[in-house]
Amino acid sequence: MKSASVCALRRKVGRSRQRDRTLSVWTDFGDALRKAILMQERVDQLAVAVDRMTDRLQDHDRRLVRIETMIELAQRKPLPGGSAR
């Protein structure tokens, strides 16, 4: 027959293991939550960067259209001096 102290020790060890598992679950949960928050922050930063790039691309597109228009108009004008192309 087991003594009372051995049974008490096993109960104590069992509770300790359960507490370790509980802490491990909470630690894992905290790590996952921290990673999710960091990912969200990075996604937000990327969204801002994409918005800035979109604005720049639209500006470049407008400028390119103006340059193309100037070239087309210049090609249509007759050269001074009356010689045709």
Side-chain angles (χ1 to χ4, degrees):
M1 193 155 212
K2 298 177 186 176
S3 68
S5 63
V6 171
C7 289
L9 182 60
R10 285 191 178 187
R11 278 191 297 255
K12 188 175 182 180
V13 168
R15 279 188 236 127
S16 177
R17 286 182 185 161
Q18 184 179 5
R19 184 175 37 236
D20 289 345
R21 281 191 294 253
T22 302
L23 288 175
S24 177
V25 168
W26 282 110
T27 302
D28 293 345
F29 176 75
D31 290 343
L33 185 60
R34 184 171 35 93
K35 287 178 183 178
I37 290 169
L38 288 174
M39 272 197 294
Q40 181 62 45
E41 184 178 323
R42 289 178 184 155
V43 167
D44 292 343
Q45 290 172 354
L46 285 172
V48 169
V50 167
D51 287 343
R52 282 193 304 245
M53 283 189 272
T54 300
D55 292 342
R56 288 185 70 192
L57 181 61
Q58 289 173 347
D59 184 53
H60 286 242
D61 185 54
R62 284 191 294 268
R63 289 174 183 227
L64 182 60
V65 168
R66 285 192 300 238
I67 292 170
E68 289 172 339
T69 303
M70 288 189 306
I71 291 171
E72 286 177 13
L73 290 174
Q75 288 175 343
R76 290 182 189 171
K77 280 187 175 180
L79 292 174
S83 65
R85 291 185 192 189

